Amino acid sequence: YEGAQRFLPRERDLSALREASADCRGCDLYAEATQTVFGEGSVRARLVMVGEVPGDREDREGRPFVGPAGGLLDRALADAGIDRDDVYVTNAVKHFRFTRDDRASRRIHKKPSRSQIVACRPWLLAELDTVKPDVVVALGATAAQSLFGKDFRVSSRRGEVLELPGPPDLPLAVATVHPSAVLRARDSERDSAYAGLVADLAVVAKAAS
Ligand code: URA
Ligand code: SF4
């Protein structure tokens, strides 16, 4: 597999990108997943939120952030004063990665590998180039590593307004935790994890205005 680049269409509007992404075979993930889960939102959105990889629900529905993590993200955006209509949501990797639980036929989410993140990056860069947001937000380590490179550490740089490596016309960027990390936090830590996410998103709101 050589990555997504050769599957990109000549026209760069969102519907052409979405349509072409349905046939991507840039890495091995297309083979087991149900469908490509492309980003969603207005081309005029001022903010782009980048998650990790679609989950089980997203894989079946073909839309990003429609499961529990998406519910938490919507709530955090509202609490940070961000209008959901001003947000385009997508993922660093666009096909679901999972392992099967032997007994139940449950599919268990698996983190994408470094090579899968790199393979899928052309789709994310094309989305950013088309939407041209004021700020792009990396939700968690996978998105942050796709945008900033493999040595980036969310824990030490979260909530800062940063410049992306690459050409100068790229949006500003902010890294924060993934909404799923808030859902997974132990009871005693969930409220503060959520407050941390909202505080980082408030930085994003300010940087975009
Ligand atoms: N987690 C993600 O990173 N992306 C989704 O679309 C859903 C859950
Ligand atoms: Fe293409 Fe990305 Fe899917 Fe891999 S995960 S097949 S690179 S769309």
Side-chain angles (χ1 to χ4, degrees):
Y1 299 106
E2 297 169 46
Q5 193 66 46
R6 73 181 181 88
F7 297 92
L8 294 197
R10 219 180 315 258
E11 325 86 279
R12 289 304 173 85
D13 57 281
L14 288 176
S15 55
L17 287 169
R18 164 189 298 277
E19 223 170 274
S21 75
D23 298 322
C24 184
R25 296 184 165 204
C27 76
D28 57 339
L29 291 180
Y30 78 89
E32 301 252 23
T34 307
Q35 57 192 319
T36 305
V37 179
F38 201 67
E40 198 173 85
S42 167
V43 72
R44 288 179 300 279
R46 289 186 306 152
L47 303 176
V48 169
M49 301 283 148
V50 185
E52 181 184 61
V53 67
D56 180 80
R57 276 274 293 281
E58 288 80 14
D59 173 71
R60 286 184 277 122
E61 292 187 29
R63 299 179 56 203
F65 283 109
V66 290
L72 189 125
L73 178 61
D74 287 348
R75 186 156 68 89
L77 287 167
D79 284 344
I82 294 172
D83 182 351
R84 189 63 183 70
D85 293 339
D86 212 16
V87 176
Y88 179 95
V89 290
T90 190
N91 284 298
V93 171
K94 287 169 170 58
H95 274 105
F96 184 34
R97 186 184 196 201
F98 60 94
T99 48
R100 273 188 204 283
D101 186 335
D102 309 336
R103 305 204 128 268
S105 56
R106 213 160 71 85
R107 306 186 300 172
I108 301 164
H109 153 275
K110 221 176 145 190
K111 241 176 150 46
S113 71
R114 177 72 198 156
S115 66
Q116 290 161 344
I117 295 168
V118 171
C120 210
R121 198 164 177 267
W123 292 118
L124 177 59
L125 295 181
E127 289 173 295
L128 292 177
D129 191 46
T130 302
V131 177
K132 297 196 192 305
D134 294 342
V135 186
V136 57
V137 181
L139 299 169
T142 298
Q145 286 170 22
S146 179
L147 290 169
F148 295 103
K150 67 174 168 40
D151 297 327
F152 187 88
R153 291 290 169 269
V154 173
S155 53
S156 57
R157 305 301 303 276
R158 62 179 293 182
E160 284 181 54
V161 181
L162 302 169
E163 284 182 13
L164 287 175
D169 59 338
L170 289 168
L172 294 171
V174 174
T176 186
V177 294
H178 194 286
S180 297
V182 177
L183 293 173
R184 281 196 311 265
R186 59 183 106 210
D187 288 348
S188 61
E189 283 160 24
R190 195 167 308 118
D191 288 351
S192 69
Y194 179 75
L197 172 60
V198 172
D200 292 346
L201 292 175
V203 170
V204 172
K206 195 158 172 234
S209 60

